[in-house]
Amino acid sequence: MNLFEQQAANRRKSRWLVAAFVLFFAWLGFGGDYLAWEMTRYGPPGAYRHAFPWGGVALFAIAAVTVTWIRRTGPDKVLWSAGAYPLPEGRMDENRQLENVVEEMAIAAGVRKPKIYLIDDPDPNAFVTGTDPDHPHLAVTTGLVSMLSRDELQAVVAHELGHVKNLDMQLMTMVAGLAGAIALIADGLGRSMRIGRHRSGGGGRDRGGKLGGLLLVLLVIWLISWILAPLITRMLAMGISRKREYLADAMAAQFTRNPMALADALDRIEKAGAPTKTIKGGVAHLCIADPLGRRVSQKVGFVGDLFATHPPMALRVARLRAMAYQSAKASGDLAPE
């Protein structure tokens, strides 16, 4: 699979994951409306009939307000939570090199040059945040700047600008907003149900006895979906994040035309081994490497696919090296055997 096929495959997988997220969200809202409609449509004259999907509409309204609020304030809160501060204008050699590299890669990627921030942490890491491609913010740790060579630093910056180019910032903000809204609503719904059960004294059992078998099964599935909603939405968000890391890796290889530079950078970041203590869990999915250094991020297969915020670093490095091999093979630069 060449570079552009890799990018197309990653975009396709990301779209499937986003579609799954939207379908699950619709099931939580409009699925409940359907069940309410079925349970009330044969009631006696004058009784309440659930004819309008109030639940689904309310759920999307709450989610929209939450996402809008996060989009307006999210980048500032992300930078603040990580302890990031604007790049000093002291013109130190390291700062000048970082500024030059960011400017070069912004031109190569065809995006606006991001505002640069530093994070005082010896562990190498980086992330990009922002509400739209015209207002990106790039944050890198001081460990990253001091540890990597110029080519490696350029590759990491290209990876982050790949997220800007692919509109990952907006996507992940939206996903985070929806996941947060569902978690809040699930918590509120759970409390309401506990209060309702306490006040009704078990009267709902009679109503349940009148339900058809299929409807009862759907009701149980819907309730279980709400109980597991925070976990499921978080897993979907992590799945989108993993696919986007592969895509950003491929974009970095395209911008720099040097896949080995990013492979070497990721290898050095992985071998640094220490968690990025300054960056907390809420920002983990934005970083080029899991700042918490969790073992699950090194897993391949079912467990890693479900619970890791990042794909295994060894797999990312292997893919980049394969790209470098194919590029060299296509250009005839490989030494004869």
Side-chain angles (χ1 to χ4, degrees), residues 124-136:
N125 220 322
F127 66 82
V128 67
T129 184
T131 55
D132 58 70
D134 290 334
H135 302 88

Side-chain angles (χ1 to χ4, degrees), residues 8 23-24 89 98 160 231:
L23 288 175
F24 181 66
E89 298 180 356
L98 175 61
E160 296 303 330
L231 176 63

Side-chain angles (χ1 to χ4, degrees), residues 78-79 82 98 102 116-119 121 123-129 137-145 148 152-153 155-161 163 245 262 266 269 276 279 283-291 310 316:
V78 166
L79 292 166
L98 175 61
V102 172
I116 308 170
Y117 292 81
L118 286 178
I119 301 171
D121 196 300
D123 191 56
N125 220 322
F127 66 82
V128 67
T129 184
H137 305 274
L138 171 70
V140 300
T141 63
T142 50
L144 185 91
V145 177
L148 301 187
E152 292 165 349
L153 183 63
V156 170
V157 170
H159 168 100
E160 296 303 330
L161 296 187
H163 286 309
E245 289 303 316
L262 184 58
L266 294 180
I269 291 171
T276 315
I279 301 178
V283 188
H285 65 287
L286 297 176
C287 296
I288 191 170
D290 188 346
H310 291 69
R316 293 170 66 184

Side-chain angles (χ1 to χ4, degrees), residues 196-204:
R197 186 170 60 247
H198 177 72
R199 289 179 176 174
S200 66

Side-chain angles (χ1 to χ4, degrees), residues 60 63 186 248 292 311:
F60 270 96
L292 305 181

Side-chain angles (χ1 to χ4, degrees), residues 308-320:
T309 58
H310 291 69
M313 195 66 89
L315 190 54
R316 293 170 66 184
V317 171
R319 286 187 177 206
L320 288 163

